[in-house]
Amino acid sequence: SSFYAVYHGPDGLKAIAERVNHNARILATALAAVGRELVTDSFFDTLTVRVPGKARKVLTAAEARGINLRFIDEDTVGVSIDETTTAATLSAVAVAFGAGPVGDAQGFELPAAVLRTSDFLQHPVFNTHRSETQLLRYIRKLSDRDLALDRTMIRWVPAR
């Protein structure tokens, strides 16, 4: 996770977080439009949806589309969004819940009290390695500084 942060930096991580939350809001909007009850209106990347008596039906429909959802109980299903979630995946999840294809997010913004306002990842290492090549060179540099057992303390001596 540290190299993930090094590679993406503060701006990249913020963009990923905003995209993940936006996608969760898109799905919430589609589900609410067809009357699905969200357990909470405040969420970041995970929705908990009440589907009285239909949780297994929703899970089966999602599995038929190659999607794994979380079974909470017979009346409740959990859905988590990540940075790999696409519009097609969001639409497939919505259809599994009996909603149509997704549109755009309407509401469900995060409360201002939970939004970060301070700077983070300000060390230069989090702001310099943006290409795969730069990151691999940095990893190699760290590896070369390693004083591991196989490099310094164990010496192989050929048998005589």
Side-chain angles (χ1 to χ4, degrees):
S1 63
S2 63
F3 284 119
Y4 188 83
V6 167
Y7 182 74
H8 291 288
D11 294 335
L13 290 179
K14 184 175 180 180
I16 291 167
E18 288 172 346
R19 188 173 64 248
V20 166
N21 180 249
H22 184 74
N23 281 339
R25 292 176 45 233
I26 287 172
L27 181 59
T29 300
L31 297 178
V34 295
R36 297 292 180 246
E37 180 189 354
L38 301 178
V39 172
T40 178
D41 289 339
S42 181
F43 51 83
F44 175 71
D45 64 347
T46 301
L47 306 175
T48 305
V49 186
R50 282 197 178 88
V51 286
K54 297 181 182 178
R56 294 198 188 276
K57 181 179 176 184
V58 170
L59 265 63
T60 301
E63 287 173 2
R65 291 166 175 77
I67 298 167
N68 292 320
L69 300 179
R70 178 178 174 220
F71 176 82
I72 296 173
D73 60 38
E74 295 297 332
D75 303 320
T76 316
V77 175
V79 182
S80 292
I81 308 299
D82 68 14
E83 65 269 21
T84 65
T85 303
T86 64
T89 303
L90 292 173
S91 288
V93 171
V95 169
F97 276 95
V102 296
D104 198 12
Q106 309 250 334
F108 302 107
E109 287 85 7
L110 288 169
V114 302
L115 297 177
R116 184 179 197 127
T117 57
S118 61
D119 290 336
F120 59 100
L121 299 178
Q122 293 304 298
H123 189 278
V125 75
F126 296 108
N127 295 284
T128 52
H129 308 291
R130 289 296 167 270
S131 73
E132 187 175 342
T133 303
Q134 289 173 326
L135 183 62
L136 289 174
R137 286 181 180 144
Y138 176 63
I139 292 170
R140 178 57 191 235
K141 179 180 171 183
L142 292 177
S143 174
D144 288 344
R145 291 180 180 172
D146 185 22
L147 294 177
L149 288 174
D150 65 333
R151 293 183 179 204
T152 60
M153 301 181 99
I154 300 173
R155 184 169 172 228
W156 180 77
V157 179
R160 295 183 194 201

